[in-house]
Amino acid sequence: MTTPAVFLDRDGTLIEDAGFLRTVDQVQFFPQTFTALRRLRDAFALFIVTNQSGVAKGEITHEQAQTVNNFVVQRLREEGIDIRAVYCCPHERADGCDCIKPNPYFRNRAEREHQIDLARSFTVGDHPCDVELAAGVGASGIYVLTGHGAKHRDELQAPCLVVDDIGAAADAIAVAHAVALLREGGVVAIPTETVYGLGADAMNEAAVERVFRIKGRPTNHPLIVHLGEASQMSEWVREVPDLAATLAERFWPGPLTLILPKSSRVGDWVTGGQDSVGLRVPAHPLARKVLKEFGGGVAAPSANRFGQVSPTTAEHVRQDLGTDVDFIVDGGTCNIGIESTIVSLLSPEPVILRPGGVTQEEIEAALNRRVAVAHAAAVRAPGQLNSHYAPRAAVVLVAPHELEQQAAAMRAAGTKFRILNEADLAPEMLYSALRRADAEGATLILASPPTESGLGLAVADRLRKAAAPRPALE
Ligand code: TXA
Ligand code: MG
């Protein structure tokens, strides 16, 4: 098994380039370095490749260069980031050594010694040499504008991506890796503004089947197909009704899913054998980048096991699915935090099948008519199964004025419980609050559902489903 790698330049890329560094107190990490590398550490072997010509020039000693390198590695380890190896060239160009960048000496050593898959690897740096290191091996070069990046930009020869800093470089690497995996039939967790999705190429039956297997979801429950552009909608449906065009125009990219009559290219493996397909153009910038670069449709349910609480951070996905998924694109915390609103346009009267991130009021205003919310079991939609979105703890819903009395009874009975307060019931907080209660070992969660208007409708809906009897899922 070979591993993809990221070859990181040190000065100007991970830390400020302040000339020849002699002591550790001169080391200053860029603010994005730690979070950027944490996003990559699971999928990539990380190497530092640094030219320290100051040694050859007699400006710094070997030991000083080494001390600084060791310190960088140690600080990164403290931040949870392991560096496989630091490769340091102490020569200057006039020495004609093999190891100075852009010579591939260290890169090839990594390939041999650490079983690196160079074709799927990346190099990141603020000097043209850093990205030229990538040329000729199928590894991609990413040029950062920090350090000397802005100054040397005009000298760039090799084709490469130019980004602001190491944070943007990590995003670009994650997107490129996700797209490559999707093309190969892999399964990738992708951040959206609602919740994380568990994505596969919608046209690839085997890949989509794997999504169902990982999720533990019955195959007759359809998946949403995610698209990079609203203009792709026509490829997936038999026709685009006016109402669909209106809603897409108004709410895409965004937390809205449209159910429409499917076109013949949409496989049964996505729709669960139904004649309709759910489509959505998500707004999260990384989701959009993945989808646009991929070009096709990505079938994705929420990236949790069937029936459980949807993930709103990459860490949630990691906890739920671990290594079952080929890669997690870490896009931070989902800002809406609750799933998309699903609107069926299969009959002349649009119906909301699942309340979500776009409110009923907004949809009614956009269409200039009343739009009803369907009652459970009208359509085959897991969000409509009674018990869903459920934490391990039992969820008990009570009226606001009963909260205190119920809590007192729990305390008296010695039950470990948690009350969801108003902040926990904000849509973007709900799922992490349910997860926190589980993590704290609560056996019972008490909540008083919010008023069912605006986003409160979706929150109340999820609470009701979390509180519903669960036998079917045990
Ligand atoms: O916000 C969201 O919608 C997230 C993100 C990842 O996009 N996705 C999501 O997927 O919540 P999932 O699979 O957990 O829920 C999608 C819902 C399901 O209830 C499914 O049955 C319904 O969409 N759905 C998909 N296609 C459908 C169809 N053709 N007819 C009726 N319901 C459909
Ligand atoms: Mg540099």
Side-chain angles (χ1 to χ4, degrees):
M1 258 291 280
T2 55
T3 315
V6 182
F7 298 101
L8 300 151
D9 171 49
R10 193 191 83 182
D11 303 341
T13 301
L14 299 181
I15 64 175
E16 296 280 0
D17 190 330
F20 301 117
L21 301 187
R22 295 182 179 81
T23 59
V24 300
D25 49 81
Q26 294 173 302
V27 173
Q28 209 183 337
F29 282 90
F30 288 116
Q32 310 82 356
T33 298
F34 300 136
T35 46
L37 299 189
R38 260 189 234 116
R39 290 174 177 195
L40 301 176
R41 66 184 170 192
D42 289 345
F44 295 90
L46 303 177
F47 295 90
I48 293 175
V49 185
T50 177
N51 284 357
Q52 293 299 325
S53 60
V55 177
K57 293 189 172 105
E59 297 278 348
I60 54 172
T61 65
H62 238 294
E63 290 65 39
Q64 284 170 329
Q66 188 123 34
T67 304
V68 171
N69 287 340
N70 290 345
F71 177 74
V72 168
V73 168
Q74 181 208 323
R75 275 296 294 124
L76 290 171
R77 188 174 306 129
E78 284 164 13
E79 296 290 334
I81 300 145
D82 274 329
I83 298 296
R84 284 281 182 101
V86 180
Y87 295 128
C88 181
C89 164
H91 310 108
E92 55 184 330
R93 208 155 294 283
D95 294 342
C97 66
D98 274 346
C99 56
I100 198 163
K101 287 184 278 191
N103 293 341
Y105 177 83
F106 286 131
R107 194 190 65 198
N108 294 345
R109 225 172 102 181
E111 181 186 29
R112 266 196 326 274
E113 293 175 0
H114 296 272
Q115 286 77 50
I116 296 308
D117 180 354
L118 287 183
R120 302 157 68 92
S121 298
F122 297 83
T123 72
V124 188
D126 69 326
H127 191 277
C129 285
D130 297 316
V131 293
E132 281 164 31
L133 184 66
V137 289
S140 312
I142 299 180
Y143 187 79
V144 290
L145 294 172
T146 45
H148 293 292
K151 198 169 62 195
H152 292 295
R153 185 179 188 165
D154 293 344
E155 300 157 31
L156 277 173
Q157 305 264 319
C160 70
L161 193 66
V162 179
V163 299
D164 282 343
D165 55 34
I166 185 72
D171 283 348
I173 290 170
V175 168
H177 191 57
V179 170
L181 288 168
L182 288 170
R183 293 214 170 108
E184 290 164 11
V187 173
V188 177
I190 296 166
T192 83
E193 71 281 22
T194 58
V195 300
Y196 275 72
L198 185 62
D201 177 358
M203 299 298 282
N204 184 330
E205 182 171 4
V208 173
E209 274 174 3
R210 225 183 111 209
V211 170
F212 279 97
R213 258 200 320 278
I214 294 172
K215 196 170 160 73
R217 173 153 159 172
T219 49
N220 60 351
H221 290 284
L223 304 184
I224 296 170
V225 175
H226 297 72
L227 306 172
E229 301 282 358
S231 60
Q232 292 169 273
M233 174 162 44
S234 55
E235 300 164 27
W236 298 83
V237 302
R238 284 201 291 279
E239 54 173 326
V240 178
D242 288 347
L243 294 182
T246 304
L247 290 175
E249 163 82 12
R250 169 75 180 76
F251 297 109
W252 282 352
L256 176 71
T257 296
L258 300 178
I259 308 293
L260 291 160
K262 79 175 185 77
S263 71
S264 56
R265 80 194 293 249
V266 187
D268 282 345
W269 55 86
V270 171
T271 64
Q274 303 201 49
D275 194 31
S276 58
V277 63
L279 298 177
R280 171 161 117 80
V281 179
H284 191 292
L286 289 186
R288 289 211 86 192
K289 280 195 181 137
V290 169
L291 290 166
K292 282 190 195 179
E293 232 172 85
F294 177 62
V298 171
S302 53
N304 54 286
R305 307 269 184 214
F306 186 56
Q308 295 172 5
V309 178
S310 298
T312 53
T313 67
E315 189 48 38
H316 293 164
V317 181
R318 220 167 275 128
Q319 285 163 8
D320 289 0
L321 305 180
T323 51
D324 285 357
V325 6
D326 296 323
F327 182 54
I328 302 171
V329 179
D330 186 339
T333 302
C334 303
N335 63 350
I336 291 181
I338 208 154
E339 295 81 353
S340 61
T341 302
I342 302 179
V343 177
S344 171
L345 296 167
L346 296 180
S347 47
E349 281 304 309
V351 182
I352 295 174
L353 300 183
R354 177 179 74 182
V358 173
T359 65
Q360 181 181 19
E361 295 86 338
E362 289 171 314
I363 288 167
E364 291 181 333
L367 297 181
N368 198 20
R369 62 159 94 189
R370 298 304 304 269
V371 180
V373 179
H375 287 291
V379 174
R380 208 186 295 150
Q384 296 180 335
L385 291 179
N386 280 342
S387 174
H388 215 74
Y389 312 106
R392 271 197 312 277
V395 176
V396 174
L397 303 182
V398 295
H401 67 273
E402 290 169 358
L403 259 181
E404 255 325 298
Q405 188 190 336
Q406 287 279 352
M410 301 284 155
R411 253 177 241 119
T415 306
K416 190 142 199 285
F417 70 101
R418 182 178 222 282
I419 298 181
L420 298 189
N421 61 28
E422 214 180 305
D424 295 329
L425 294 180
E428 70 277 15
M429 299 305 293
L430 178 68
Y431 291 151
S432 51
L434 292 175
R435 282 171 182 269
R436 197 171 333 114
D438 274 347
E440 289 167 0
T443 55
L444 198 142
I445 296 169
L446 269 182
S448 177
T451 313
E452 300 199 8
S453 61
L455 290 172
L457 182 65
V459 172
D461 169 77
R462 303 306 188 271
L463 281 174
R464 228 178 357 258
K465 284 164 183 158
R470 303 180 185 172
L473 294 169
E474 297 303 330

